[in-house]
């Protein structure tokens, strides 16, 4: 005569444990989602815009932020805009040649960090020292902004909170 096998009891126990764990995970997820919608610190609150800029394929507006998130650009006279963009034109480097902004006198430009192009698009003047950056589709956000400081000798990038010097 054969003795009863232990395998069915172990299998049954494992199934029960997994089912209880799954129910617990579902309950926890539902609770976290509910808290996030009510101003809590759940998963929904974590989906705000990133602290630093990201690659062009995920520019603000393309995933998390609607295109209307960019601040409205003030009305600027064309002659003033041309003058201000000339002050922005040139190469602005950080500590190495691999981290820089390069702007043309028409406002087009690019940002290269660690040897990789992370942004290319256009700078639009808000005033003589502040420029909004937008990608080729015209989307941007408040942290995609550069500001001329120290009498125009330095460029401050709001996205990384870093300062660049005119090359």
């Amino acid at each position: 005569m054969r003795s009863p096998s232990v395998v069915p009891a172990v299998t049954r126990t494992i199934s029960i444990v997994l089912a209880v764990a799954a129910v617990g995970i579902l309950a926890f997820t539902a609770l976290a989602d509910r808290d996030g919608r009510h101003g809590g610190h759940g998963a929904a609150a974590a989906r705000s815009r990133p602290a630093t800029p990201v690659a062009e394929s995920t520019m603000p507006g393309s995933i998390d932020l609607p295109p209307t998130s960019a601040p409205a650009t003030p009305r600027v006279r064309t002659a003033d805009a041309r003058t201000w963009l000339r002050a922005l034109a040139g190469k602005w480097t950080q500590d190495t040649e691999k981290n820089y902004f390069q702007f043309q006198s028409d406002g087009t430009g690019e940002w290269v960090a660690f040897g990789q192009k992370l942004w290319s698009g256009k700078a639009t003047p808000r005033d003589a020292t502040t420029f909004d950056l937008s990608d080729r589709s015209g989307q941007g956000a408040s942290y995609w902004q550069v500001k001329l400081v120290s009498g125009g000798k330095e460029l401050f990038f709001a996205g990384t909170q870093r300062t660049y010097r005119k090359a």
Side-chain angles (χ1 to χ4, degrees), residues 26-129:
L26 288 173
F28 177 77
T29 303
L31 183 63
D33 285 347
R34 186 193 61 164
D35 288 345
R37 280 192 299 268
H38 291 56
H41 299 288
R47 282 189 223 120
S48 64
R49 66 180 121 150
T52 59
V54 289
E56 180 180 275
S57 63
T58 58
M59 285 287 293
S62 62
I63 292 179
D64 292 324
L65 301 174
T68 58
S69 67
T73 305
R75 210 74 162 121
V76 175
R77 289 186 12 210
T78 305
D80 290 338
R82 274 192 230 120
T83 302
W84 299 339
L85 287 170
R86 274 195 297 270
L88 180 67
K91 189 172 187 176
W92 301 85
T93 61
Q94 203 177 23
D95 52 359
T96 69
E97 285 293 314
K98 292 184 177 184
N99 296 328
Y100 64 88
F101 276 93
Q102 177 79 45
F103 290 102
Q104 307 304 319
S105 59
D106 66 353
T108 59
E110 67 181 14
W111 173 40
V112 175
F114 307 106
Q116 292 187 324
K117 186 189 301 185
L118 298 180
W119 170 82
S120 64
K122 188 161 180 72
T124 305
R126 294 184 75 72
D127 57 41
T129 60

Side-chain angles (χ1 to χ4, degrees), residues 4 16 32 122 128 131:
I16 292 170
K122 188 161 180 72
F131 302 85

